Amino acid sequence: MDRDTSRGIAAVRRIKRQYNLDGVYGTLAELLEVNESHRTAVEVTAGNSLFHYVVDNDDTATKVLEVLQRERSGRVTFMPLNRLRPKPVKLPQSADAVPILEKIKRSAEHERAFQQVFGKTIVCPNLQVAAQYARSHGVSAITVDGDRSDKKGALTGGFYDPRRSRLEAVKNVAKWRRDHESHKARSDEIRRELDRIDQEITRAVGEAQRVEQKRQQLESSYGPLRAELRAKETLLERQNGDLEGKKRSVEAMDASLKEIGEQLSSFESELASDFKKSLTREEEQRLEQLNASVQALRKQYAEIGTGRSELEARKSVMEVELRENLRPRLDQLKRQELENLEGGGGASSSNVKEKQRELRRIDKTIQAADRKLKETERAGEQAAQQLSELEQGRTEKQRQQEEIARQIERHQKRMERSMAKKALLTEKASECSRNIRDLGVLPEEAFEKYENTPSNSIVKRLHKVNESLKKYGHVNKKAFEQYNNFTRQRDTLTKRRAELESSQRSIVDLIDILDQRKDEAIERTFKQVSREFANIFERLVPAGRGRLIIQRKADRRAAAAAAAVAAAHAQANDGDDSDEDDDDDDEDEQDQVRDRRKSVENYTGVSITVSFNSKDDEQQRIQQLSGGQKSLCALALVFAIQQCDPAPFYLFDEIDANLDAQYRTAVANMLQAISSVSIASSSQAQGGTGGNSSPRPSAAGAAGAAGAAGAAGNSAGAGGAGAAAQFICTTFRPEMVLVADRCYGVTYDNKTSSIDVARREEALNFVEETQAAAGGAGAGASGTAAGDAAAAAVAAVQL
């Protein structure tokens, strides 16, 4: 845990107490309990999440973060329970795969936070079983020793020192924090007690001042009491001196508490830093014994301090009783005795004796109180002496601890020197191994022949051999090894090439199959649409005929080749043999053209050829047709596509504007027929088509307009009825209105458009009026009215 996180967690605890936030629960490490056998697994699984702070909701986290930001008190990661949504994971149910959450004791209120961190982790007996479950179930698996295998295949493990457990450190810090808080509370209590004593002293001083004033008043008449008053003042000064001594004792205790707090802070900082040690087992045992002794002495010191505090409290009570009750009563009795003596008279002698007896009784009580006070002081001195002895013992333990720390430092220095020496020897061993590898492949007898030979003889012989080898410095010693390596690389590359060629053939075959399926799908779709287009065009134009023609690149080349062949025949003057040869060439060329036509890649588009007058006349292309004929061909193509791939909704905007009356009637009948088939097949029919008469232009010049719209269910498909469809049309022609199921009128008046359901008769009247206005468009005002009607129609379509 870094320093910023430590400061942030401490600040969050302070903010919780300061603002009384109930929704701040604590860090994840503080909210869990786990036995010692699974502590390592829990720590490795959680990682830095152990120090994430759990809160009830994001509002609480926001409040704390604002205070942290304002005070610049470190950084903390919060886990709002209302924002956590851990995904459920199906964990394996087996004896060697136990969910780690079953090993953690936690509160049900914080379940979401633990599910978020530990919900996808299981505990396995060893790393092999953990790796198998991680691959098979997609979870993180961990062993008891902290070796981990995650679902992506990564393995993490090694030695983990249990003495550096962060969970144990958190528990110790929490214990020390509680002790510190208790000591601090005790210090506050003592400070409040001191304040109370100060107040009592103030009252005592005030009382002394009042007594002094009365003494001065009575000093002239009561001479014998003056000496007694001086004695009382001396006693009061002595009591004040004792009180000052107690104050000094309290200050010493405050200093001791401050020192303990500083030690606690140093221990916490030491826990926050990385702890590396290299002690022997005996030194660790000695250090543990010393720590136990220090803890016992501290406990004994706390007990003695508590006893001393109790004795001081009893002493204070007695002093207060003596000062506030007994001594004032004694003074009062003495004054009464003096008054009685001055008054004289035998009648008061008995009363004087009674007062004297009471005075003696009070003196005895005062003496008893003084004895108890002395006993209390002796007990306080003994407690102070024991406290001093404990302080000396603690100082001795600290000295021993410092000596152990110095020994640890010396051991570390020796270890560093040993590590440096080890690194040097390792480097020399690596150099020797490198020299041995440079020699190439050695025979097996080389490792056994010189096993028992002295090192000096081996060094001398090695020197001679090196001198002899200098003659062969130009020879490549690794030629044989390099040859073997290159041979293995060649075999590997050859095998890889064969695999790549096999993969290429498979990919090419797959591409051919996909191309073939694509060609078949395009051919099948075109044939279906072409057949439906011919049928629908024949229904719209009974005297004519139409068809779709697919265009190919090969058609142009074939046309050019046919023209060249015809020219050659016209100019040829050769015999029959020559003609037969030309016929054979033509057949071969036509076969090539048919082969070229088989691929869809040669397609360039689709053209339409129709004939409106005869089924046998030469057909015309669509570029040669008039506007109305082109509209009719487009509608036939739309209906053909609708039969093959029906849509649920069709919107036609004045499709009959350019059509003749017979074709408008044919289109209207076609829509009615398709809608009727759809209604019968799917029992769904809505809408209509027609028009609604609009209001006349008003004096302000506003024009009324109406658009007719129709809708009907449609059935389509190559083999039967399909789903219902709607046809909505805008029109100014009566043919559509006559076959519509429902008519709507759109009016425009005073810059406002409105739509209403219209009866068929109203729609027909409006259409007749619009045609009459359009018929007189060349007569000035009539032309203006026709223009207004046309503009109104466009507006109605747009709305």
Side-chain angles (χ1 to χ4, degrees), residues 345-575:
S348 61
S349 60
S350 60
N351 191 15
V352 170
K353 292 179 181 180
E354 184 180 354
K355 297 296 182 180
Q356 288 177 352
R357 286 194 297 272
E358 186 176 358
L359 180 61
R360 285 193 295 272
R361 187 170 63 254
I362 291 173
D363 288 336
K364 291 180 181 179
T365 305
I366 292 173
Q367 291 174 2
D370 289 335
R371 285 195 299 273
K372 290 183 181 179
L373 183 60
K374 290 178 180 180
E375 291 176 359
T376 303
E377 290 177 350
R378 284 196 297 273
E381 291 175 357
Q382 293 176 0
Q385 184 178 1
Q386 291 180 359
L387 181 62
S388 177
E389 293 176 357
L390 291 175
E391 288 289 342
Q392 292 177 359
R394 184 172 66 86
T395 305
E396 180 66 22
K397 297 301 181 182
Q398 288 181 349
R399 187 186 61 77
Q400 294 178 1
Q401 188 174 3
E402 292 175 356
E403 181 65 25
I404 292 172
R406 287 194 292 271
Q407 292 179 3
I408 291 172
E409 186 176 358
R410 289 196 294 271
H411 283 301
Q412 287 180 348
K413 291 182 179 179
R414 286 199 297 270
M415 182 176 290
E416 290 176 358
R417 290 196 294 270
S418 300
M419 293 298 293
K421 187 175 181 181
K422 179 181 178 182
L424 181 62
L425 295 176
T426 304
E427 184 178 358
K428 289 183 179 180
S430 300
E431 184 178 359
C432 294
S433 300
R434 186 167 58 254
N435 294 333
I436 292 173
R437 288 196 301 271
D438 293 339
L439 293 176
V441 180
L442 298 178
E444 295 182 357
E445 62 181 9
F447 300 96
E448 300 176 356
K449 183 177 180 180
Y450 302 100
E451 184 175 0
N452 298 323
T453 305
S455 59
N456 295 330
S457 302
I458 292 175
V459 171
K460 292 179 181 179
R461 187 166 182 179
L462 180 61
H463 181 69
K464 293 179 181 179
V465 171
N466 288 331
E467 292 294 332
S468 301
L469 286 175
K470 291 180 180 179
K471 301 177 182 179
Y472 306 99
H474 63 281
V475 179
N476 185 8
K477 306 181 192 63
K478 294 186 178 181
F480 181 72
E481 184 177 357
Q482 292 175 355
Y483 173 76
N484 292 332
N485 292 334
F486 292 151
T487 302
R488 287 194 297 271
Q489 292 179 5
R490 184 195 62 187
D491 296 340
T492 302
L493 293 175
T494 303
K495 184 178 179 181
R496 180 60 178 167
R497 178 183 177 183
E499 293 176 355
L500 292 176
E501 289 177 350
S502 177
S503 300
Q504 182 182 8
R505 287 192 297 270
S506 301
I507 293 172
V508 170
D509 294 340
L510 178 61
I511 292 173
D512 294 339
I513 293 172
L514 294 177
D515 288 341
Q516 182 180 359
R517 293 179 180 177
K518 178 183 67 175
D519 296 344
E520 291 175 356
I522 293 176
E523 290 283 354
R524 182 171 61 254
T525 303
F526 174 75
K527 290 178 181 179
Q528 186 177 359
V529 174
S530 178
R531 181 174 63 253
E532 296 295 337
F533 177 79
N535 295 335
I536 291 173
F537 188 83
E538 187 175 357
R539 293 173 62 183
L540 295 176
V541 187
R545 184 169 65 93
R547 63 192 181 98
L548 298 179
I549 299 174
I550 192 166
Q551 295 179 351
R552 301 179 176 86
K553 296 178 182 179
D555 293 339
R556 300 176 182 176
R557 293 192 293 269
V565 171
H569 278 293
Q571 296 177 2
N573 294 322
D574 296 337

Side-chain angles (χ1 to χ4, degrees), residues 211-464:
V211 171
E212 179 68 19
Q213 292 175 0
K214 187 176 290 186
R215 184 188 65 80
Q216 291 177 359
Q217 293 175 0
L218 298 176
E219 187 175 6
S220 58
S221 60
Y222 297 103
L225 295 176
R226 189 175 292 109
E228 186 177 356
L229 287 174
R230 291 194 184 97
K232 299 300 181 181
E233 289 174 357
T234 304
L235 180 62
L236 182 61
E237 290 176 357
R238 183 166 59 84
Q239 295 294 335
N240 290 333
D242 295 338
L243 184 60
E244 292 295 332
K246 298 302 183 291
K247 286 184 178 180
R248 287 193 294 272
S249 299
V250 171
E251 291 175 357
M253 293 180 68
D254 289 338
S256 177
L257 287 174
K258 184 177 180 181
E259 183 180 358
I260 293 173
E262 292 175 354
Q263 290 180 0
L264 178 61
S265 301
S266 64
F267 289 159
E268 289 179 348
S269 62
E270 183 178 354
L271 285 174
S273 62
D274 294 333
F275 182 65
K276 298 180 180 178
K277 62 179 181 178
S278 57
L279 298 176
T280 62
R281 185 64 180 174
E282 293 77 8
E283 291 173 345
E284 291 179 357
Q285 292 177 356
R286 178 61 177 167
L287 181 60
E288 291 176 358
Q289 292 175 359
L290 291 176
N291 289 331
S293 301
V294 169
Q295 294 294 335
L297 291 175
R298 286 178 179 173
K299 185 176 180 181
Q300 187 177 1
Y301 171 75
E303 292 175 354
I304 292 173
T306 304
R308 178 181 177 181
S309 300
E310 292 177 355
L311 292 175
E312 289 179 352
R314 290 175 58 191
K315 176 184 176 183
S316 300
V317 172
M318 291 179 181
E319 288 177 350
V320 171
E321 180 69 21
L322 180 63
R323 183 172 58 253
E324 293 184 357
N325 296 328
L326 299 179
R327 292 191 185 279
R329 180 61 178 167
L330 177 61
D331 295 338
Q332 182 181 3
L333 292 175
K334 287 182 178 181
R335 285 195 302 270
Q336 291 178 1
E337 183 179 3
L338 291 174
E339 292 175 357
N340 293 329
L341 290 175
E342 290 177 355
S348 61
S349 60
S350 60
N351 191 15
V352 170
K353 292 179 181 180
E354 184 180 354
K355 297 296 182 180
Q356 288 177 352
R357 286 194 297 272
E358 186 176 358
L359 180 61
R360 285 193 295 272
R361 187 170 63 254
I362 291 173
D363 288 336
K364 291 180 181 179
T365 305
I366 292 173
Q367 291 174 2
D370 289 335
R371 285 195 299 273
K372 290 183 181 179
L373 183 60
K374 290 178 180 180
E375 291 176 359
T376 303
E377 290 177 350
R378 284 196 297 273
E381 291 175 357
Q382 293 176 0
Q385 184 178 1
Q386 291 180 359
L387 181 62
S388 177
E389 293 176 357
L390 291 175
E391 288 289 342
Q392 292 177 359
R394 184 172 66 86
T395 305
E396 180 66 22
K397 297 301 181 182
Q398 288 181 349
R399 187 186 61 77
Q400 294 178 1
Q401 188 174 3
E402 292 175 356
E403 181 65 25
I404 292 172
R406 287 194 292 271
Q407 292 179 3
I408 291 172
E409 186 176 358
R410 289 196 294 271
H411 283 301
Q412 287 180 348
K413 291 182 179 179
R414 286 199 297 270
M415 182 176 290
E416 290 176 358
R417 290 196 294 270
S418 300
M419 293 298 293
K421 187 175 181 181
K422 179 181 178 182
L424 181 62
L425 295 176
T426 304
E427 184 178 358
K428 289 183 179 180
S430 300
E431 184 178 359
C432 294
S433 300
R434 186 167 58 254
N435 294 333
I436 292 173
R437 288 196 301 271
D438 293 339
L439 293 176
V441 180
L442 298 178
E444 295 182 357
E445 62 181 9
F447 300 96
E448 300 176 356
K449 183 177 180 180
Y450 302 100
E451 184 175 0
N452 298 323
T453 305
S455 59
N456 295 330
S457 302
I458 292 175
V459 171
K460 292 179 181 179
R461 187 166 182 179
L462 180 61
H463 181 69
K464 293 179 181 179

